[in-house]
Amino acid sequence: MAAANSHEPVLVLFTTFVVAAAIVLAPTTCTAQLTCDFYQQSCPHALQTIRSVVNEAINRETRMGASLLRLHFHDCFVNGCDGSILLDDTDNFTGEKTAFANLNSVRGFDVIDEIKATLNTYCNGNVVSCADILAVAARDSVEILGGPSYSYEVQLGRRDATTAVLDDANRNLPAPTFDFSQLLSIFQSHGLGLQDLILLSGGHTIGLARCTTFRDRIYNDTNIDPEFAASLKEGCPVNGGDNNTTPIDSTTTQFDTVYFKSLLQKKGLFHSDQELFKSDGSDSDNLVQHYANSPEDFKVDFGASMIKMGNINPLTGYAGEIRLNCRKIN
Ligand code: HEM
Ligand SMILES: *[C@@H]1O[C@H](CO)[C@@H](O)[C@H](O)[C@H]1NC(C)=O
Ligand SMILES: *[C@@H]1O[C@H](CO)[C@@H](O)[C@H](O)[C@H]1NC(C)=O
Ligand SMILES: *[C@@H]1O[C@H](CO)[C@@H](O)[C@H](O)[C@H]1NC(C)=O
């Protein structure tokens, strides 16, 4: 044993070197910039803390899971996943909250505030960024609504923006009136492709939509099941009722493939949804058909696309800040 002991320091040093090198070089599932274990030292229970607040919020109101998923999407598409959507307007800038796609529409800000306040206490200080909270809350929501067997590993280390720009939100968020080519091009402008467009649109498997976002479609579109259109008109008259809501798919609290199955039956709620399946034998059609019938593929591939979306232009290192209050800069 004496001989073995004499080698131990060398072995320990060597092991340390290998581990350190592995951490520096590891490509794994983490990207160069963000990592899965970013808060392991600074706030080891950050993820559990976020999960429990999200869980309570969804228990209070199931729709909140959908709202939190959408918040992360709308954050990432406007100058990257930097928490900019959370900033209230100030004298110095008009932020993103009044953009067409956000006004009277995005929700969940109170839950994000609750998560942030809880973390500031549990982490013994201001450690976890608002941008990361959005990413984790979105993942947790999907997982909670999709059942325990499903998950993807969320990437962390984003920092928060110190400004927000209304025009950028208006330019970068898709509208439900978009045609296929407009949808694909806005996704491509964010480094995402056709498959990401199909998969991430699958986020519409949960949540509700206001009449004003699908009225044109149910009265004027031709690529729509007539009975489906008729069934929606009572809750969404030609005039008035703009704020009346309806489920985006028929199993609106479950993260399943019914959204894709609905597209196959011309029962997409938004014009933009149905643009993904037009019975024209396109690649887009084939992907919708595939995911409609492959729940497991959908869940796994959706996670991969969420990670890609979550990697859009994060602020890292010394860029930006960790906001103390998600609604305003420090
Ligand atoms: C492809 C382009 C997209 C368009 C045109 C679009 C459009 C919309 C619209 C118009 C609404 C209803 C808003 C309202 O009623 O005020 C909505 C809701 C929603 N969207 Fe999208 N969306 C798109 C992509 C996505 C993506 C990528 C995700 C997430 C990965 C997503 C998740 C949601 C969710 C969960 C809701 C329901 C929110 C709630 O109930 O609070 N959407 N979307
Ligand atoms: C606006 O900008 C000025 C100058 O940078 C700063 O002193 C002030 O605190 C800012 N106001 C708000 C509401 O952020
Ligand atoms: C819809 O609701 C918003 C508040 O969320 C309100 O400001 C707006 O006036 C409502 N619109 C209609 C047509 O009732
Ligand atoms: C349907 O299309 C016509 C002609 O473009 C338009 O005037 C009308 O406002 C549309 N109806 C609805 C409910 O969107």
Side-chain angles (χ1 to χ4, degrees):
M1 290 312 284
N5 271 341
S6 72
H7 284 102
E8 243 172 48
V10 177
L11 189 64
V12 168
L13 260 180
F14 179 70
T15 309
T16 307
F17 171 75
V18 169
V19 169
I23 289 168
V24 172
L25 300 173
T28 70
T29 53
C30 299
T31 64
Q33 294 186 308
L34 303 179
T35 58
C36 309
D37 57 0
F38 190 81
Y39 297 109
Q40 196 151 307
Q41 304 298 322
S42 56
C43 189
H45 300 301
L47 296 197
Q48 287 155 257
T49 305
I50 298 173
R51 168 69 65 115
S52 76
V53 181
V54 170
N55 206 40
E56 283 166 27
I58 292 176
N59 283 341
R60 285 196 299 267
E61 185 203 14
T62 315
R63 184 188 179 187
M64 189 50 69
S67 306
L68 292 172
L69 171 60
R70 187 163 182 242
L71 264 190
H72 180 47
F73 160 50
H74 281 205
D75 183 35
C76 291
F77 263 50
V78 183
N79 298 324
C81 313
D82 60 359
S84 55
I85 192 172
L86 303 173
L87 287 172
D88 287 338
D89 296 350
T90 70
D91 293 345
N92 294 338
F93 63 80
T94 302
E96 301 170 14
K97 290 184 175 180
T98 53
F100 299 117
N102 290 338
L103 184 64
N104 299 328
S105 183
V106 283
R107 50 206 297 286
F109 297 112
D110 293 345
V111 175
I112 300 301
D113 289 343
E114 196 186 334
I115 294 171
K116 181 68 191 178
T118 310
L119 285 172
N120 286 352
T121 306
Y122 276 86
C123 303
N124 227 337
N126 181 30
V127 169
V128 182
S129 70
C130 300
D132 278 349
I133 291 173
L134 288 173
V136 177
R139 189 275 311 268
D140 289 351
S141 295
V142 166
E143 199 163 301
I144 290 165
L145 296 176
S149 66
Y150 167 71
S151 103
Y152 65 91
E153 203 166 12
V154 76
Q155 312 274 295
L156 302 164
R158 300 169 189 83
R159 291 166 63 85
D160 298 322
T162 51
T163 191
V165 182
L166 174 61
D167 285 349
D168 291 347
N170 280 329
R171 264 195 298 274
N172 284 291
L173 293 170
T177 51
F178 273 16
D179 291 338
F180 177 78
S181 63
Q182 293 174 295
L183 291 167
L184 184 60
S185 97
I186 205 165
F187 270 63
Q188 285 174 337
S189 75
H190 293 94
L192 302 170
L194 173 65
Q195 193 169 348
D196 302 307
L197 168 62
I198 305 299
L199 285 160
L200 294 172
S201 293
H204 288 165
T205 180
I206 51 176
L208 308 180
R210 292 172 305 146
C211 165
T212 184
T213 64
F214 60 84
R215 180 185 282 120
D216 286 4
R217 166 150 172 80
I218 62 174
Y219 288 96
N220 276 343
D221 271 8
T222 51
N223 188 18
I224 186 169
D225 177 276
E227 284 176 24
F228 174 68
S231 73
L232 292 166
K233 288 177 181 171
E234 193 186 343
C236 187
V238 176
N239 294 300
D242 281 9
N243 285 339
N244 296 354
T245 56
T246 208
I248 305 182
D249 82 2
S250 59
T251 56
T252 185
T253 61
Q254 275 166 56
F255 201 88
D256 57 20
T257 58
V258 168
Y259 167 77
F260 294 115
K261 290 183 196 289
S262 307
L263 299 187
L264 301 182
Q265 302 166 343
K266 301 190 184 188
K267 292 179 181 174
L269 184 62
F270 304 130
H271 175 80
S272 54
D273 289 328
Q274 200 61 56
E275 281 293 294
L276 306 179
F277 187 86
K278 292 192 283 196
S279 312
D280 57 5
S282 60
D283 291 347
S284 181
D285 273 16
N286 292 336
L287 284 165
V288 170
Q289 202 132 30
H290 175 74
Y291 289 116
N293 298 310
S294 314
E296 281 314 307
D297 279 6
F298 172 51
K299 289 179 179 182
V300 171
D301 296 351
F302 179 82
S305 282
M306 284 294 287
I307 290 171
K308 251 171 113 174
M309 184 176 83
N311 278 328
I312 299 175
N313 281 353
L315 297 169
T316 56
Y318 295 100
E321 63 181 20
I322 307 295
R323 251 178 250 150
L324 191 59
N325 172 339
C326 292
R327 292 176 187 261
K328 53 182 197 184
I329 62 177
N330 294 341

